Amino acid sequence: MILDLPKWFDLHTHFRQGEAVGDYVRAHVAMGCAGALAMPNTRPPVSRVSGDATEDSWSIEGYSEVLREAGAGVFEELIVPLYITRGTTAEMIVEGARSGGLRACKYYPPHGTTNSEHGVPMAELVGGPVLKAMEEAGVILCIHGEQHGLAGAAYFDSGRNAESAFYGDAMPGLLEAHPRLRIVCEHITTKEAVAFVRGADGARVGATVTPQHLLYTVGDLIQGLKYHLYCLPVVKFDADREALREALGVRGQRQFFAGTDSAPHSAKVTECGCAAGCFTGGCAPQLYAMGFEAGGRALDVGAFEAFLCTNGPEFYGFPVSAERFQMERVAGEAVALNTAVGEVVPLPLGMGLSLDWRII
Ligand code: NCD
Ligand code: ZN
């Protein structure tokens, strides 16, 4: 079986900073990717719209230039969202939207994930001038939807976790306070988040889904403590994974689209634990196809193409790619990426698994 598809867009990825940026970008280009939304949790964070880099911050303009010089110049689209910090102002939003440099902002729960320590709690943003300015200017809010600061059972339990808490407690108030704000619920993992997105106005609320959350559950992570599968939000239970698969398989759905959350870490295991993030550069479309086929499903090419190639551009308001790429259903291997900062292991290799598809 060969799939001939428009080149796809990765609407949530991490290209980092420093010498390996070009390696990460090239791995994306090699898998038929026509463009990306590159997350701003770099060091330093991308927390201004324009101007020169300083020790404490990058601008969208400056970081985009770094990415373009490292190879992202071939992309048809490159979106860098603004990291919402305590320094973000309504004036920055208004001016950024007016100049065209600002298209999206990223909400990080403070200390909730890799390089998220500059984030501001959602409760402090709701109803405030930054979100009001975004709503007014049509700037999209990308949300890492996990309640921060929870301990133990409230953070992760069979009936409740940081994501279900966020979607239950914080999201309704956000929608109500900002009725025109357009939102992307990033890397959703739970049946509660799926139900929230499906119940919301599709023109307003979209969601990205990663390959790992379509393919694995927490059992896969725990069995052997496979830290290459450790990312945030953590992979959940079978009922959650089924809710994701079901939502993506609905013909004509326009709300769910590809955002791999590919998050390269050259050192996954650290002195104080494990860095959160799964690297899926080079193999994301193959893994997504495996996710669409999981549980004995036949791959629905229409639903797959919508998810991978067209829904994202439509939600963000840029054209679907006119270029094409092909995938073939033959066994392939994921390979480690040798970068200037060391080897980065892609998720399936770290899990000891091969691929059912290859890019041709
Ligand atoms: C991401 C990273 O490493 O930058 N890690 C992750 O587990 N997903 C950060 C993020 O998107 O939460
Ligand atoms: Zn991410």
Side-chain angles (χ1 to χ4, degrees):
M1 183 182 186
I2 290 181
L3 299 181
D4 178 61
L5 300 166
K7 284 196 174 175
W8 65 288
F9 293 91
D10 186 350
L11 288 156
H12 181 143
T13 196
H14 299 267
F15 287 142
R16 309 299 193 202
Q17 64 287 311
E19 292 168 80
V21 172
D23 299 308
Y24 302 143
V25 171
R26 276 190 293 280
H28 261 68
V29 172
M31 57 177 174
C33 184
L37 182 146
M39 282 299 174
N41 63 332
T42 44
R43 286 182 191 277
V46 183
S47 55
R48 286 175 297 121
V49 177
S50 56
D52 294 336
T54 67
E55 223 171 76
D56 300 330
S57 68
W58 239 317
S59 69
I60 291 175
E61 192 179 71
Y63 182 57
S64 302
E65 191 50 36
V66 168
L67 295 179
R68 277 194 288 270
E69 276 172 16
V74 301
F75 280 156
E76 296 166 26
E77 281 291 335
L78 178 65
I79 300 174
V80 175
L82 182 74
Y83 191 139
I84 299 179
T85 68
R86 296 204 176 274
T88 311
T89 63
E91 292 68 41
M92 285 162 77
I93 306 292
V94 172
E95 175 52 29
R98 198 199 52 74
S99 73
L102 179 68
R103 296 161 75 181
C105 294
K106 177 73 188 276
Y107 167 76
Y108 280 108
H111 302 282
T113 185
T114 308
N115 300 346
S116 66
E117 62 273 22
H118 312 285
V120 182
M122 184 56 84
E124 293 179 36
L125 293 168
V126 172
V130 169
L131 297 189
K132 282 200 176 127
M134 289 176 62
E135 190 178 4
E136 196 68 30
V139 173
I140 290 175
L141 178 63
C142 304
I143 295 186
H144 182 124
E146 287 192 289
Q147 187 57 45
H148 63 282
L150 300 177
Y155 179 69
F156 193 90
D157 199 25
S158 61
R160 181 178 163 87
N161 57 64
E163 183 177 287
S164 64
F166 187 89
Y167 281 89
D169 300 345
M171 276 302 217
L174 173 67
L175 289 198
E176 205 180 290
H178 302 281
R180 282 174 303 133
L181 185 63
R182 298 186 69 228
I183 294 167
V184 179
C185 303
E186 300 293 344
H187 44 51
I188 60 169
T189 65
T190 55
K191 54 187 187 318
E192 289 82 4
V194 171
F196 171 84
V197 173
R198 292 181 79 170
D201 171 6
R204 244 194 104 182
V205 178
T208 54
V209 177
T210 77
Q212 58 268 26
H213 296 115
L214 272 185
L215 284 169
Y216 300 111
T217 66
V218 67
D220 298 301
L221 173 68
I222 291 173
Q223 205 167 33
L225 282 182
K226 302 229 181 48
Y227 58 77
H228 287 289
L229 181 57
Y230 178 62
C231 67
L232 293 171
V234 167
V235 282
K236 300 293 188 314
F237 298 93
D238 198 30
D240 299 297
R241 184 174 64 172
E242 269 308 305
L244 288 169
R245 289 175 178 169
E246 210 265 316
L248 268 50
V250 173
R251 265 282 167 120
Q253 71 80 13
R254 311 273 292 270
Q255 289 177 286
F256 298 91
F257 46 87
T260 63
D261 198 14
S262 177
H265 288 274
S266 53
K268 272 290 277 184
V269 180
T270 63
E271 267 174 40
C272 55
C274 180
C278 299
F279 176 58
T280 48
C283 56
Q286 301 92 307
L287 294 173
Y288 276 133
M290 288 161 67
F292 270 72
E293 291 179 310
R297 289 172 171 84
L299 188 123
D300 180 333
V301 180
F304 183 61
E305 180 169 332
F307 170 77
L308 189 69
C309 315
T310 62
N311 285 356
E314 278 165 16
F315 193 91
Y316 273 90
F318 61 81
V320 170
S321 181
E323 302 279 316
R324 317 233 3 134
F325 82 109
Q326 289 78 34
M327 299 172 59
E328 187 178 16
R329 200 181 192 298
V330 293
E333 296 294 330
V335 288
L337 186 71
N338 284 311
T339 78
V341 297
E343 191 174 79
V344 178
V345 177
L347 175 65
L349 190 63
M351 298 288 291
L353 295 175
S354 58
L355 301 167
D356 296 340
W357 290 81
R358 67 182 175 115
I359 310 274
I360 49 177

